[in-house]
Amino acid sequence: MNLKSLNQVSDESQASKDYEPAETAQTPQFSYQDQLVQLAQQRDLEALTALIDQKLVEQAVKVAEIEFKNNLLQLSVESSEIPEQSIVVPLLRDYLSQLRLPELTAVTIYGQKLGQELPFWMEEVALDLLILDAQALTPQITNEGSAEEAGHQVIPLPEVAPLPSEIALDITAKYEAGERNFARINLKDEALPGINLTLADLQEANFVWCDLRKSSLSHANLTSAQLRHADLTNANLQGAKLQGTDLQGAKLQGANLSWAVLRGTNLTDADLTDVNFQNATLERVIMPDGTMLD
């Protein structure tokens, strides 16, 4: 059954209702939305696309391409502007988790600008297959008197992000124009927090003492790059190529290195607190204590 037949069934059902006597008992029918969900759970791509487009309509984002690969869903979304990764990814992860598509465990999401062939960002996320507790997810709003009861608890102000440097703005402009080759670029001591260089070629680049907090370097080629003492706190390095990369003394707290390839990578004195190494390749890696990991 496809979407056209669903529309036909829906129209016929509505037409038949017009001629039913008022006293006739109504048999509960699945709504069009319920039927879409049923088809999506059967891996019907047309139905799944319709559901995702509904979910993304407020973001002015639509599905560009969609494909199942065994237990992985590959999904490209596009918009007239670059889709907001920090909004789109959690929204789709939670929604696809709730759909509970059979055997689907992860989704790779690509964000691209309308008319551009290459994506501007990519992120793979595991789906939460547990039943979500809606009440636990609902923000709890307290009344004005609760602060006094809590002993005048002070809520800290959010940290103010530093203004981007001129070189950060220049690289971002080139990246948004479609440039991906930044091999051997010298960014020593630069402040680039939050920069997006997903899928970029950064071979032999110099990031020594560079501020790359919360940056997106997923699937970037960082082969033989210099990242000594770089701040990569909470950075996304998912699927990045880190062969021969020098990360001595780097700060990697909370960084995502899942599916990354680390061969001959130097992590001497690096801070690996809460780093995600899920499915990462670790061969001949020098660990923070100086030992070699075969």
Side-chain angles (χ1 to χ4, degrees):
M1 182 182 290
N2 55 30
L3 293 185
K4 292 182 180 178
S5 62
L6 280 181
N7 284 322
Q8 183 177 358
V9 171
S10 180
D11 293 341
E12 291 174 354
S13 298
Q14 183 62 42
S16 64
K17 288 179 182 178
D18 296 337
Y19 298 97
E20 282 185 352
E23 65 274 8
T24 302
Q26 298 294 319
T27 303
Q29 298 289 330
F30 283 115
S31 68
Y32 177 66
Q33 192 75 7
D34 292 333
Q35 294 178 65
L36 278 180
V37 172
Q38 285 189 344
L39 285 173
Q41 290 174 339
Q42 297 169 18
R43 296 201 167 199
D44 185 300
L45 291 177
E46 191 176 356
L48 184 57
T49 297
L51 289 170
I52 293 174
D53 281 344
Q54 290 174 11
K55 201 67 180 176
L56 295 174
V57 66
E58 292 185 2
Q59 308 300 326
V61 177
K62 297 189 70 175
V63 173
E65 295 181 10
I66 188 169
E67 179 184 6
F68 282 108
K69 287 193 174 181
N70 298 323
N71 63 344
L72 175 69
L73 178 67
Q74 291 189 338
L75 173 63
S76 295
V77 297
E78 64 182 7
S79 180
S80 58
E81 300 297 332
I82 302 171
E84 187 63 47
Q85 183 178 1
S86 62
I87 296 175
V88 171
V89 171
L91 189 153
L92 289 178
R93 179 197 61 216
D94 293 345
Y95 182 61
L96 290 169
S97 295
Q98 293 172 23
L99 281 180
R100 300 178 67 82
L101 304 182
E103 300 180 1
L104 187 66
T105 59
V107 56
T108 301
I109 305 170
Y110 300 84
Q112 60 190 63
K113 191 174 181 179
L114 195 65
Q116 295 284 342
E117 294 184 2
L118 295 174
F120 284 89
W121 53 261
M122 186 280 287
E123 187 169 346
E124 180 177 324
V125 291
L127 299 182
D128 183 1
L129 302 181
L130 300 176
I131 298 175
L132 300 178
D133 184 351
Q135 184 176 2
L137 295 177
T138 304
Q140 301 299 314
I141 303 175
T142 58
N143 55 35
E144 296 179 358
S146 61
E148 296 179 0
E149 296 173 1
H152 300 283
Q153 183 178 2
V154 178
I155 300 175
L157 294 175
E159 181 181 353
V160 178
L163 294 175
S165 64
E166 290 185 7
I167 193 167
L169 294 173
D170 180 60
I171 293 172
T172 299
K174 290 179 179 178
Y175 185 91
E176 292 183 354
E179 178 66 47
R180 294 294 183 272
N181 186 359
F182 298 98
R184 301 180 185 85
I185 192 170
N186 185 2
L187 296 171
K188 182 180 179 181
D189 297 318
E190 286 293 335
L192 305 169
I195 195 167
N196 178 21
L197 291 172
T198 299
L199 298 169
D201 184 355
L202 298 166
Q203 295 183 73
E204 300 181 20
N206 184 354
F207 290 104
V208 175
W209 291 104
C210 187
D211 182 354
L212 291 163
R213 290 173 296 164
K214 297 183 179 180
S215 59
S216 180
L217 300 168
S218 62
H219 292 263
N221 187 351
L222 288 155
T223 300
S224 300
Q226 300 294 319
L227 285 149
R228 293 190 305 277
H229 305 289
D231 190 346
L232 290 153
T233 303
N234 295 321
N236 183 6
L237 290 152
Q238 184 180 59
K241 297 179 180 178
L242 297 163
Q243 295 97 321
T245 305
D246 189 351
L247 283 157
Q248 294 184 70
K251 297 178 181 178
L252 288 156
Q253 301 100 312
N256 182 4
L257 284 162
S258 60
W259 300 97
V261 179
L262 294 87
R263 290 193 178 100
T265 308
N266 192 343
L267 294 170
T268 303
D269 296 325
D271 187 342
L272 303 181
T273 305
D274 296 327
V275 171
N276 180 4
F277 281 114
Q278 184 178 7
N279 296 311
T281 300
L282 299 165
E283 297 177 1
R284 302 184 304 280
V285 174
I286 303 176
M287 299 303 289
D289 60 1
T291 58
M292 175 75 74
L293 184 64
D294 294 328

